Amino acid sequence: MKILIADDDKDIQEIITYNLNKENYNVVSADNGLEAIEIVKKNKLDLILLDVMMPQLDGIEACQEIRELGKDDTIIVMLSARDEN
């Protein structure tokens, strides 16, 4: 199973990647929505984890573009680590 993690927070990317790799998943990562779209165009992915708040192209817009590419069979999970004090 190939999984894309698109998140601008390197710590979150690292934690998720570490845990998925322990379970023998093939993981690729992107730092923003535009990079995620390029990875989607070049790879057959089974799961995409998209951060809602990313620079250049947020997760909502990236999700819309991924669907417009015809990647309807790929599962997309939206992530958010929004903190309100």
Side-chain angles (χ1 to χ4, degrees):
M1 177 178 261
K2 192 166 193 174
I3 301 171
L4 167 63
I5 302 167
D7 198 310
D8 60 324
D9 186 323
K10 288 289 191 187
D11 291 334
I12 291 173
Q13 271 188 32
E14 196 174 293
I15 291 166
I16 295 172
T17 298
Y18 172 79
N19 285 292
L20 290 173
N21 282 335
K22 273 181 33 179
E23 299 299 323
N24 296 316
Y25 291 108
N26 183 0
V27 180
V28 293
S29 57
D31 296 327
N32 60 64
L34 292 177
E35 193 177 318
I37 297 297
E38 290 307 311
I39 291 170
V40 168
K41 287 178 180 177
K42 297 174 184 173
N43 293 274
K44 168 66 174 126
L45 300 164
D46 300 294
L47 174 65
I48 301 171
L49 303 175
L50 282 178
D51 181 17
V52 173
M53 305 285 286
M54 289 186 291
Q56 297 181 13
L57 189 69
D58 69 35
I60 305 289
E61 294 169 318
C63 181
Q64 290 170 336
E65 288 200 30
I66 291 166
R67 292 300 183 222
E68 288 172 10
L69 290 170
K71 304 291 184 171
D72 298 328
D73 59 339
T74 304
I75 298 167
I76 298 175
V77 176
M78 304 301 289
L79 303 176
S80 177
R82 192 171 179 177
D83 182 23
E84 293 196 36
N85 295 321

